[in-house]
Amino acid sequence: MACRTLELTLVSARDLRAVNLVSKMEVYAVAYLAGDPRSRQRIPTDRAGGRDPTWNATVLLTVPASGTGSGAVRVVLRTERALGGDRDVGEVLLPLPDVLAGAGDTPTDATVACFPVRRIGSSKPQGVLNLSYKLGGVVHPDHLAARTEGGPPPVQAGDQSPTMAYLAAAATAYSAARPPQCLPPSTPYAAACVGASATSTSMRSSRWKLLN
């Protein structure tokens, strides 16, 4: 499946629900594709803004190239707490069909928007989230296959950004997910592990001799 990057910048939030009864709220956000917890990315905590945090932090998510079907980017706002663990403040859902609507194969300009923050599991809004987003060019899985087989490097439609390699790798994951595989013994990493294990065994043997 063809894919592209979604560059999502979380700018700030205003008038969030107060969920800390004693301490000041220190809010951060976690963004990911709904239904795909492996894509979770956290932005740094604002420790000064309280209910009106400011981040100006950007995350990169890999999304399908077209806006057909369903899907959404979920942004969960949470506050750190010293006791009892962190607590949810609210969430925002960005429908992917709306984000991708009308986008061609080339990168898009940034779109600025604000969304109501709703309590998780409720439709009641409390506060707003200010953000911006833009899309990278479309990457097709066959481009990655050409590079793997020694063909010319893939050309991303109209995009010469440094995220090319990231997108190309993500295209494979969308086209055919494979289970994790162990490294063969011939790889430098595996050889290093074997060497480290042998050294550890030798050290234990020498120490045993000294003790006896």
Side-chain angles (χ1 to χ4, degrees), residues 15 18 44 50 82 86 97 128 160 201:
D15 195 29
D86 297 354
V128 295
Q160 302 299 326
T201 302

Side-chain angles (χ1 to χ4, degrees), residues 64-137:
S66 66
T68 58
S70 58
V73 174
R74 188 184 187 200
V75 180
V76 179
L77 304 183
R78 310 196 76 201
T79 180
E80 293 184 358
R81 297 197 304 175
L83 299 175
D86 297 354
R87 187 171 181 181
D88 293 333
V89 177
E91 68 174 351
V92 169
L93 292 177
L94 284 69
L96 282 179
D98 294 346
V99 172
L100 300 171
D105 289 347
T106 57
T108 65
D109 295 330
T111 298
V112 178
C114 64
F115 291 84
V117 178
R118 303 183 186 278
R119 296 184 182 182
I120 295 179
S122 171
S123 60
K124 183 178 180 180
Q126 177 64 69
V128 295
L129 175 65
N130 303 306
L131 56 83
S132 67
Y133 62 86
K134 60 182 178 180
L135 297 167

Side-chain angles (χ1 to χ4, degrees), residues 49-77:
R51 296 176 58 199
D52 303 308
T54 299
W55 305 289
N56 287 315
T58 300
V59 298
L60 293 177
L61 298 170
T62 304
V63 299
S66 66
T68 58
S70 58
V73 174
R74 188 184 187 200
V75 180
V76 179
L77 304 183

Side-chain angles (χ1 to χ4, degrees), residues 126-178:
Q126 177 64 69
V128 295
L129 175 65
N130 303 306
L131 56 83
S132 67
Y133 62 86
K134 60 182 178 180
L135 297 167
V138 173
V139 170
H140 298 275
D142 54 339
H143 290 163
L144 180 62
R147 169 176 286 186
T148 304
E149 296 170 2
V155 177
Q156 185 177 352
D159 188 2
Q160 302 299 326
S161 68
T163 58
M164 171 70 74
Y166 168 77
L167 274 172
T172 303
Y174 271 95
S175 60
R178 297 181 179 179

Side-chain angles (χ1 to χ4, degrees), residues 16 19-20 23-29 42-53 55 77-82 86-87 89:
L16 296 177
V19 297
N20 287 359
S23 60
K24 184 178 181 179
M25 289 175 54
E26 299 180 348
V27 183
Y28 64 91
R42 172 177 169 167
I43 65 171
T45 303
D46 180 356
R47 305 191 182 281
R51 296 176 58 199
D52 303 308
W55 305 289
L77 304 183
R78 310 196 76 201
T79 180
E80 293 184 358
R81 297 197 304 175
D86 297 354
R87 187 171 181 181
V89 177

